[in-house]
Each structure stands twice: as structure tokens, then as C-alpha cells.
Amino acid sequence: MSRRWRCGDEEAQVILNVTEGHSIEVQVGDVTLSGACVSRGEGLFDVSIDGRVIRMHAVSDRHGGFWVHDGVQARHVQPSEGKSRSGGPMKGSGRVTAPMPGKVVQVAVKVGDRVEAGQVVAVLEAMKMEQALKSDVAGAVAQVLVEPDTQVDMSALIVQITPDPSEGESG
Amino acid sequence: VSDENTKQRLLIANRGEIAVRVARTARCMGFETVAVCSELERGALHTQVCDYAIVIEDENPRAAYMNIERLVDIAKEWGCTAVHPGYGFLAENADFAKAVEDAGLIFVGPRAPTITLMGGKIEARTCMENAGVPVIPGRHDLDDVDALKAAAQELGYPVLIKASAGGGGKGMRRVMSEDELEAAADAARREAEKSFGNGTVYLEKFVSPARHVEVQIVGDGSGKVLHFGERDCSVQRRYQKIVEEAPAPDLRDDVRAALHLAAVQAGEAVQYRGAGTVEFVVGPDQSFYFLEMNTRLQVEHPITEEIYGVDLVALQLSVALGEALEINQEDVSPRGHAVEVRLYAEDPDLDFMPAPGPLLRFVAPTGPGVRVDAGFQSNDEIVADFDPMIAKLITWAPTREESLARMRAALQDTVLLGLRSNLEFLKFVLNDPEVQAGAVDTGFVGRAAWTSEQQESTPTWALALAEIAARSGGSGGTGGATLGEPDPYSPWSAGKVHLPIHTNTSGGAS
């Protein structure tokens, strides 16, 4: 039994084998991890590797993935479809999205405008802070999906820019 | 304070860690405490630590902490004798202080006119100038674009546009050249109008490189003012402090003494009542200028408490009750070194944008010299309507080096799951050689070459853990069920079995 998991830009097929007692062997891509693991419930796992005992955490993110702590730092791990990275917009896509929920206070471009990479196309306000939303490509504004004073959700598409042909659309 | 007939009851008009912190001291002093909260925050930690909690229903969750009339009504209705504003919200709102006192209640803070005077940054500058305290070169009365441009030209770029009613970096913009000026001023005005209801802005020369050093004072309202030393708050992002320490490193003794004196004089000039902070900008030659005075408890007050062995909230409350300050300046002296970091739900990769979300798990550090002032606990929600600070970690040790080491260890021991936080960024800052060597200036975060990718090792174990968790709790993939009970059929369910680890049987080194 194995599944494909993704963490940021890294993803791998993960195969878990319970060898004997609490010993486990986990194949993560082409790396093999081995140690002993005891579940303490509540998403707590005590893992022993080479004599070191590490308290690890894995808490369901309620969407099929986990927020995990490997004893060093917190990470968000999500199931992967396998083919390509899913989720957020890719660099160079020309999609300007809301990095968090908030209110659009200003839209600085209209359909047909030319924009340069790094140009501010809209201003989002959240928690009373203003955040300039910039285009990640040079191109032409294809769509403006919001008006000033619109409340938007996280990842909502604000402005779609058609990247200049030379930049290509591969991400 | 607590004799049955004169039982004091304190309304805490705030939320998060500061409401929790105030409630803890108030309880020790015999106060009963009353919390308020918005509908989003029913059951929040600050409502748990108080004796009573009142939910303020309003379309706008911030009304729970901003609606003067309702807060005063609740204070009266619930038999409160005093009101503590915490920081932020109405803490520096003179109308609130006045409304509380007009209702016959004690306001735990300075008198309303002091708040008004220091709240107008322009007026405060003038007051300090008259008192002989050096202020940063600046210009106000900027009625139109031409006046603005002329003033900026005269001061010389870069300049800072600041909101007169401002604080916490809101309504503030740094402007490098004239072509940015107008847009920056508009944005600052808009932000100031929204945050403080007053869009007045002024210009200041941008002192760079600069350190931010502030002095804690406490006054009894009759002219006696004590200082509790200084704090260095130079590690900032978006003009908001994220790492603070006391005492300030690498400060000449004569400069330190002059800062303390200037702060006490500032307090004496207004017969200051309660706890306040006088903020200064310190230039590369250690010349200093008055920045502003905060007429409230600061977020970073615990580092002062740690090195002076004093409870500033207790002092605030006893001064508010009309008790004279029994200690004198010669009775207080600092010991050791304290560091504070602020844990925020924010994304360091996205210019520190707030990243609200569920705090699925929060494991706080502990150990010698470690203090945690938290406003939240596991399974709380960090909501978008409020400041995204989750907790403050404070460490104390005899020396700066040891205090920083304790903080690094405390950060390592902290687990925050469910949302993006600045935890890794804080580890990066505390590991930075420049920070470890001594004082840094306020440009540090901007220069710091931070990227999360650079920090992260390959998440091999993280990927493995997801699979382990999915298999063990049965909640991976599609289910979404909570990882409540371990699966008894899971091959590595704990039971009574001990984790196999190395055992020393020979008595010698392995």
C-alpha cells in the first residue's frame, strides 16, 4: 500500500512497511528511512532513529492532508495526484490571486492594459494592512474579476494577465 | 485589595495574550475579573481565565473591544470598579478613558488629557521639543501635494510619512524619492483613517541606520516617576517589533543614563500616571531623538519585568487604586538579560502577511528562564479580524549570550501546526551572527537573506509521517475524521509497549 504525498515543492511516493514489532521502514521516493515508531494517539508519534527519540506530530488538516512536525519544523503535507503539483498558481501563470482573505481597496489596471512583471495591479486590505498585489509576468490584462470594496476569499483570482508570448505559459 | 465589602472588579477591555496576562495579575491581587469577547471568540482563553465573560454581539467583531458606550455599560452593569484597556484597541483613546472615569470607574492608565497630548504625535513632538528633549527633524501642516513635496525636499530623502494618530506601523510609509511621495501619502492617509479615524499625516526625516530603544516609566500621578530601564526593539518588520531585548546591547553608559533621564523628565512634565513607554531612535553615533510616547502597557513589557523582577501590571493596578509608589529609583536595578519574540500567524515568504487559520496544535516551550505569554491554545482559531499574534516567548538568563541560547532552544521546542507562522523566521533571526554579535539596526529584517526554501531541509520524514498518520489514525485521504483514538488494530499502536531504544547494559560507553 502506498500513496503519493506532497510538501511544498517536494513530492514522493511513500511506501510504509512494518517489519517487526514497532520497527518500520519507510520508502520516500528513492530514500529509505528506518526506525521504530509508536503512536501515542492524538496525532503524536514517538520515533526512534539510531538511538535518538523524537516526538513527532501529525494532525489532520481536515482536507485529507496533515500538518506535521518532524522534530525540527512544521510542514504541511497533502495528498498528491501524482502527475504534477496541484494547488496554488504556478509562477509565470499571470494569475494574480489573493494571498489571504481580505478586501480589495484598489484595482490599478483595466482589461487591455499592458503590465510589467512586478507591477502592482491591485491593493488588498486585511487586518487593516494594505498589501500590493503584483503581476508575476509581463503581459496584457485579460480579465479583472473584482471591483474596489469587494471582499475576497483566500486564493481568489483578482486579475488574469495573458503573459507575453516570449515568456511562455509553461510553469 | 480584597475585603468582601470593597471587592474590586476589573473589566478587561481586550483579548488575546494581554487580556490573559492582565487577568492573572489582577486575580493574584484579589480582583474579580470580567472579560469581553466577540461572537467569534466564545470560549477563548482570555474568557476562560476571567471570572465572568460577556459576549458582545455585533456585525463587526472588533466592536467588542472598540465600542466605548457598550464597554462602559457592561462595566457598570456587571458591577466593575475599574477598567484595564490592555494595549491596542482603546488603550490610547482619551474618549474611552474619560467615559470610564465619567461613569465613576477607575481607568487603569493615564488621565485622558495625557493620552490626548501624547496621542497626537505632532503635539507630542512639540511638547518634547519644549521640554528640551531632542526630536527627529520633521514637518507638519501638509495641506496639499506641493507643501508635502516642498517639505520632503527640505528634509531630504528618504523620508517617513507618519499618521499623527498612528502607532504600530499603521499609516506609516517610507518614501525614497519624490515620484513615490503622493501615492505613499494617500495610502498612509487611507490606512490612518481606517485604523485611527484620523487621516492627518506628517513627515519625518528617516534616520538610518537607526536603533529603536525605549524606556519604561511608571508614574504615580502626583509627579513621582520611576524608570525601569530600556528595551531594544530594533528587529522589526513592517515597522512592527518581532524581537526585543533588555537591556539594550552595545549602548554607552552615558547614553543609557541620558535616555533614562529624558524619559523620566518627559513623565514628570505631565505628572504621568501609570505605566508608559518613551520611545527613542538612536543613531549610529548613539545620538538619540524622541520618537513617541505610548501611554499604555507595551507588548514587550515582560522583558522589563524579567530583568527588574517587577510586575508592571501590579504596579499599574495599585497606582490606579490611588496607592503611592512605595519604591524609589535607587531600590530598583536590572539583573541579567531578557529576550522576547512574538509568534505570529503570518507568512514570512509573503512579506509577513497575516495568515489566519486554525491553530490545530500549539506546544509551548518550558524550562529554566522561559516564560510564555500566550493568548491561544490548541484548537483555537486565529481569525482574520484581529492582530495575528499567537503568543510571546520570553527568556531570561544572567547574560545576553545565555538568554539568546535559551531562546533558540525555546523556539526549537515550540510546535505550531495548522497555519503559517513566523516560527522558522524567528529561529533564523536568533541564529543570525549579526544578532548574536550585538546590536542591530531597524533595517536588519529587510537585509536578512531569508527564504523558507533555504531554511528547510528535505521533508523526507514529513512525507513519511503523513503516510504513517494516514495508516495509523485512519483519517488520511478522504475521511477527514479527527485523529482522536489510536487505532487498536494498528500494528504499532502504543498499548503498554515501550519504544525500543538503545539500552546501556554494559555500563560503559557504547
Side-chain angles (χ1 to χ4, degrees):
Chain A
M1 182 176 178
S2 81
R3 256 172 287 221
R4 208 169 167 80
W5 296 95
R6 178 171 65 86
C7 174
D9 286 342
E10 302 275 339
E11 67 172 82
Q13 195 75 22
V14 182
I15 304 165
L16 172 61
N17 293 308
V18 182
T19 49
E20 173 190 328
H22 294 263
S23 297
I24 56 167
E25 207 178 76
V26 198
Q27 229 177 298
V28 181
D30 40 20
V31 178
T32 304
L33 305 171
S34 58
C37 178
V38 169
S39 165
R40 302 284 183 194
E42 305 280 333
L44 299 171
F45 297 91
D46 289 343
V47 179
S48 160
I49 311 162
D50 290 338
R52 285 174 64 227
V53 178
I54 304 164
R55 164 58 55 94
M56 297 192 184
H57 303 254
V59 185
S60 165
D61 70 359
R62 304 163 186 172
H63 300 287
F66 291 92
W67 279 89
V68 305
H69 195 278
D70 56 9
V72 177
Q73 67 190 79
R75 303 172 196 263
H76 191 197
V77 182
Q78 292 163 287
S80 165
E81 296 314 313
K83 290 184 292 293
S84 69
R85 294 159 201 165
S86 56
M90 292 178 201
K91 277 233 178 308
S93 66
R95 288 167 59 85
V96 180
T97 58
M100 60 170 300
K103 191 169 83 176
V104 176
V105 290
Q106 200 192 329
V107 178
V109 293
K110 55 186 193 303
V111 172
D113 281 0
R114 263 211 58 78
V115 295
E116 297 304 321
Q119 186 176 331
V120 175
V121 297
V123 178
L124 183 74
E125 184 206 283
M127 294 184 177
K128 305 210 166 177
M129 300 290 285
E130 290 192 359
Q131 163 91 346
L133 304 181
K134 296 171 181 172
S135 171
D136 61 351
V137 294
V141 176
Q143 263 185 303
V144 176
L145 293 103
V146 296
E147 289 172 356
D149 279 341
T150 312
Q151 201 71 35
V152 294
D153 289 331
M154 185 159 112
S155 304
L157 185 60
I158 309 287
V159 173
Q160 173 72 58
I161 293 144
T162 307
D164 287 343
S166 58
E167 295 240 327
E169 245 186 300
S170 59
Chain B
V1 187
S2 65
D3 144 6
E4 256 333 287
N5 302 319
T6 60
K7 188 92 178 169
Q8 296 282 349
R9 189 178 277 189
L10 180 70
L11 179 85
I12 302 170
N14 217 298
R15 66 187 293 280
E17 67 87 16
I18 194 60
V20 174
R21 191 255 166 280
V22 168
R24 286 190 171 134
T25 287
R27 191 170 59 185
C28 292
M29 291 176 73
F31 282 83
E32 286 184 336
T33 51
V34 179
V36 289
C37 73
S38 68
E39 287 171 278
L40 293 174
E41 302 161 285
R42 286 174 194 274
L45 183 58
H46 77 279
T47 67
Q48 293 176 16
V49 299
C50 288
D51 295 299
Y52 305 97
I54 290 105
V55 178
I56 298 186
E57 296 180 345
D58 196 290
E59 268 175 46
N60 175 9
R62 297 180 61 83
Y65 312 102
M66 291 300 286
N67 189 326
I68 293 176
E69 222 172 291
R70 288 173 79 171
L71 286 166
V72 172
D73 283 348
I74 287 171
K76 287 194 292 192
E77 194 182 322
W78 284 77
C80 296
T81 50
V83 176
H84 195 302
Y87 53 66
F89 297 120
L90 295 171
E92 291 176 286
N93 184 311
D95 294 338
F96 183 52
K98 186 171 183 306
V100 169
E101 295 196 338
D102 285 352
L105 310 174
I106 294 166
F107 180 73
V108 184
R111 299 175 194 89
T114 311
I115 300 176
T116 306
L117 177 67
M118 292 303 165
K121 305 300 176 202
I122 295 172
E123 292 78 2
R125 276 174 59 92
T126 311
C127 169
M128 288 300 149
E129 236 172 339
N130 294 339
V133 177
V135 301
I136 302 175
R139 296 284 178 278
H140 44 87
D141 299 322
L142 309 165
D143 298 328
D144 54 43
V145 183
D146 292 337
L148 188 70
K149 285 183 176 170
Q153 196 65 50
E154 196 186 325
L155 292 170
Y157 290 92
V159 294
L160 276 182
I161 300 173
K162 296 171 89 170
S164 182
K170 292 194 171 115
M172 180 144 90
R173 287 287 187 285
R174 186 175 67 177
V175 183
M176 302 306 289
S177 64
E178 188 170 306
D179 48 322
E180 298 170 15
L181 188 65
E182 206 179 333
D186 286 345
R189 281 199 190 97
R190 234 183 358 248
E191 230 171 72
E193 181 67 46
K194 193 145 291 169
S195 292
F196 315 110
N198 175 355
T200 310
V201 296
Y202 66 102
L203 275 187
E204 254 179 27
K205 173 83 186 142
F206 181 66
V207 180
S208 176
R211 292 169 61 188
H212 177 115
V213 179
E214 58 187 30
V215 179
Q216 176 71 53
I217 60 166
V218 176
D220 67 0
S222 64
K224 182 173 179 180
V225 176
L226 302 179
H227 75 79
F228 288 88
E230 79 289 344
R231 299 181 285 254
D232 188 314
C233 313
S234 299
V235 181
Q236 307 184 353
R237 56 109 183 90
R238 286 174 173 270
Y239 308 107
Q240 272 205 333
K241 303 157 190 168
I242 46 175
V243 180
E244 299 105 345
E245 59 182 310
D250 307 336
L251 205 57
R252 286 206 316 266
D253 286 346
D254 60 318
V255 175
R256 203 184 302 272
L259 278 167
H260 297 168
L261 183 66
V264 168
Q265 280 171 338
E268 284 171 348
V270 291
Q271 296 213 331
Y272 194 78
R273 185 184 77 188
T277 294
V278 188
E279 299 192 337
F280 298 93
V281 167
V282 179
D285 58 353
Q286 302 214 351
S287 59
F288 62 85
Y289 307 97
F290 169 80
L291 190 60
E292 61 183 49
M293 176 162 184
N294 294 315
T295 54
R296 54 169 166 85
L297 199 63
Q298 299 276 104
V299 176
E300 59 275 23
H301 74 275
I303 53 175
T304 298
E305 296 186 320
E306 294 306 312
I307 64 168
Y308 278 88
V310 66
D311 182 335
L312 289 169
V313 174
L315 282 180
Q316 279 191 305
L317 290 170
S318 63
V319 164
L321 293 179
E323 291 162 21
L325 281 172
E326 279 166 13
I327 40 174
N328 295 309
Q329 191 65 58
E330 57 270 24
D331 300 332
V332 299
S333 59
R335 187 177 145 263
H337 194 95
V339 180
E340 176 186 275
V341 302
R342 306 186 189 185
L343 284 174
Y344 283 100
E346 66 180 18
D347 192 339
D349 290 335
L350 281 176
D351 198 19
F352 303 98
M353 279 296 282
L359 183 60
L360 296 178
R361 179 158 296 175
F362 175 35
V363 181
T366 182
V370 177
R371 166 176 168 181
V372 180
D373 282 19
F376 301 91
Q377 48 199 343
S378 291
N379 295 322
D380 279 348
E381 185 85 16
I382 306 300
V383 295
D385 304 81
F386 298 105
D387 184 84
M389 191 167 78
I390 299 166
K392 306 181 305 204
L393 309 185
I394 303 105
T395 54
W396 179 92
T399 65
R400 181 175 192 265
E401 203 183 340
E402 293 162 288
S403 197
L404 290 171
R406 280 182 174 173
M407 182 58 80
R408 284 193 294 274
L411 289 168
Q412 281 299 332
D413 288 347
T414 303
V415 177
L416 273 177
L417 299 178
L419 35 70
R420 289 283 293 166
S421 82
N422 66 341
L423 179 58
E424 293 306 313
F425 181 74
L426 290 171
K427 289 179 190 171
F428 165 81
V429 171
L430 269 287
N431 279 307
D432 186 272
E434 203 182 330
V435 170
Q436 292 186 39
V440 300
D441 65 80
T442 51
F444 168 77
V445 171
R447 286 194 304 275
W450 154 270
T451 59
S452 63
E453 287 85 11
Q454 191 192 316
Q455 305 306 310
E456 286 172 8
S457 49
T458 315
T460 319
W461 263 106
L463 293 164
L465 264 174
E467 182 63 24
I468 292 171
R471 287 268 297 273
S472 126
S475 67
T478 54
T482 55
L483 270 175
E485 290 299 307
D487 175 5
Y489 303 106
S490 157
W492 55 85
S493 174
K496 296 284 180 209
V497 183
H498 293 289
L499 188 65
I501 56 175
H502 288 189
T503 310
N504 187 338
T505 48
S506 64
S510 56

